[in-house]
Amino acid sequence: VIMMDCSLCPINDERKDSFYKYVKKHSETIRSKGIEPILFMSWPYKNKPEMQQKLEEEFFKASKLNNLRMIPAGQAFLYINQNFPKINLYTEDLRHPSKEGTYLAALMIFSSLSNKSPIGNTYVMGLEQDIAEILQKVAWITHKDFQKRTVNSGL
C-alpha cells in the first residue's frame, strides 16, 4: 500500500504531529494484514523549491521510524524544476501535478516498485515524445541515486 500526505503537512508545525501519528498508525494497520506499506515522498510547490529539503528530512525521518520503503517523487520533481524549467509539472495552483507531473509521479512509482528502468516505455500518456523521454530518464536517474543514497545511509 502506498501512502502519501499533503506536501505541506510534514513540514507544517500545526500538522506535523498528525503526519507522524498517521504514518505510524496506518503502517501498523497495513502490516497487520500482511501487506507492505510504502511512503510516497511528495514534492515542493513550484514557487517554493526550498520546501524540498524540509520534506526530505521529515519523510526520511518517518520512513526510518516506521521501517518503510519510500518513493522519492519529490526529488524527481525538484530535478525537473531545476534542470528543465520549461517542463511544467504543476497545474495553475502551483501545487497539484499537471499531466507531466502525474506522468513523472507514475514513473517514480514504477521504478521504485519494480527496480526497472522506465526508459523506452512506449506509453507516454499523450505527452510529446521528447518530454516523455526526459521524464523517463529523470525518473530512472532519481531512482538509482536514491537507492545509492539510502544504501549508504543505512535506510
Side-chain angles (χ1 to χ4, degrees):
V1 172
I2 299 171
M3 302 184 295
M4 180 185 171
D5 204 334
C6 73
S7 291
L8 186 60
C9 297
I11 61 174
N12 179 284
D13 289 337
E14 294 174 17
R15 298 177 180 175
K16 186 185 290 191
D17 289 342
S18 291
F19 168 72
Y20 283 101
K21 174 184 174 181
Y22 288 108
V23 167
K24 181 180 186 328
K25 179 180 178 178
H26 295 313
S27 294
E28 290 170 353
T29 301
I30 293 163
R31 282 197 174 105
S32 76
K33 305 298 180 191
I35 302 169
E36 178 188 8
I38 300 172
L39 196 55
F40 182 96
M41 180 196 302
S42 57
W43 46 81
Y45 298 162
K46 184 173 185 172
N47 60 341
K48 296 186 180 198
E50 67 277 4
M51 287 174 63
Q52 185 60 35
Q53 181 179 350
K54 293 175 186 175
L55 284 168
E56 285 188 28
E57 289 171 10
E58 300 306 327
F59 274 95
F60 271 100
K61 183 177 174 183
S63 174
K64 192 169 187 173
L65 286 171
N66 296 284
N67 192 27
L68 299 170
R69 281 198 305 160
M70 192 163 38
I71 298 170
Q75 292 177 344
F77 268 66
L78 186 64
Y79 188 93
I80 291 290
N81 291 338
Q82 291 175 337
N83 296 286
F84 299 94
K86 291 185 179 181
I87 299 177
N88 184 14
L89 301 176
Y90 301 86
T91 58
E92 291 177 5
D93 69 4
L94 307 179
R95 297 177 181 191
H96 294 96
S98 64
K99 191 173 193 176
E100 293 81 356
T102 300
Y103 186 69
L104 180 59
L107 293 169
M108 289 308 304
I109 292 169
F110 171 81
S111 295
S112 297
L113 296 182
S114 70
N115 200 30
K116 293 181 181 175
S117 172
I119 297 171
N121 188 321
T122 58
Y123 181 73
V124 297
M125 210 169 100
L127 299 174
E128 294 178 27
Q129 188 65 39
D130 60 330
I131 301 294
E133 288 173 6
I134 291 168
L135 297 174
Q136 291 172 359
K137 289 175 184 174
V138 167
W140 186 236
I141 289 166
T142 302
H143 170 71
K144 289 191 308 184
D145 288 349
F146 184 75
Q147 292 302 103
K148 288 179 196 169
R149 180 178 174 192
T150 55
V151 167
N152 292 335
S153 69
L155 288 175

